[in-house]
Amino acid sequence: DTAVSQTPKYLVTQMGNDKSIKCEQNLGHDTMYWYKQDSKKFLKIMFSYNNKELIINETVPNRFSPKSPDKAHLNLHINSLELGDSAVYFCASSLLREGRETQYFGPGTRLLVL
Amino acid sequence: SQQGEEDPQALSIQEGENATMNCSYKTSINNLQWYRQNSGRGLVHLILIRSNEREKHSGRLRVTLDTSKKSSSLLITASRAADTASYFCATDAWGGGNKLTFGTGTQLKVEL
């Protein structure tokens, strides 16, 4: 019954590694997002996909690469992890085509880079 | 740069009291939304107010919007311990593709 789910919930890894975070929504939404929340709880959008097409791409290092295999999934791959990548990453979704701006958030993935 | 600023940063009240949080933003908006985040959890949408609206109610929540001052306030009446959480305003600019820009958040603690 989970609307927006993310895996894994926790991710602890070494600097320099490559890791992926997965997101799935079962709400029938057409738009998905990735946000990063830092240790001060500052939440900033990273990417957004609408119908598998990238529509928002903020100033994010190109080590971060989102991939949307279909409308229900948006994954985030991070290459060469750095200490500063430690944060909580949230996936969200919304139904843009019907003008429903409310976003539904997943539970977050807590990434710790050592 | 960070769009919204919220104040206070932290608020501690007794159960039954009202809690008011304020949000200021910088650019023209399509709508403004408030979200709640419980500790260690994702964000939950509370209420959305459009740029042509001035006030909106939902249960114990009252939101106001003053576009001339580029500010909004969230009032929670008769607060409960379960209202303890961080509250964020988020603005959606015109033509932004539903890109939400979040404020800095207010940490609310409701004590018994």
Side-chain angles (χ1 to χ4, degrees), chain B residues 17-34:
Chain B
E17 293 180 338
N18 295 342
T20 300
M21 290 158 256
N22 302 295
C23 167
S24 62
Y25 57 92
K26 296 177 183 174
T27 60
S28 295
I29 61 170
N30 176 28
N31 66 69
L32 185 145
Q33 304 177 38
W34 285 89

Side-chain angles (χ1 to χ4, degrees), chain A residues 76-89:
Chain A
L76 183 65
H77 188 76
I78 315 170
N79 289 324
S80 304
L81 279 155
E82 300 178 357
L83 295 177
D85 297 333
S86 295
V88 183
Y89 292 83

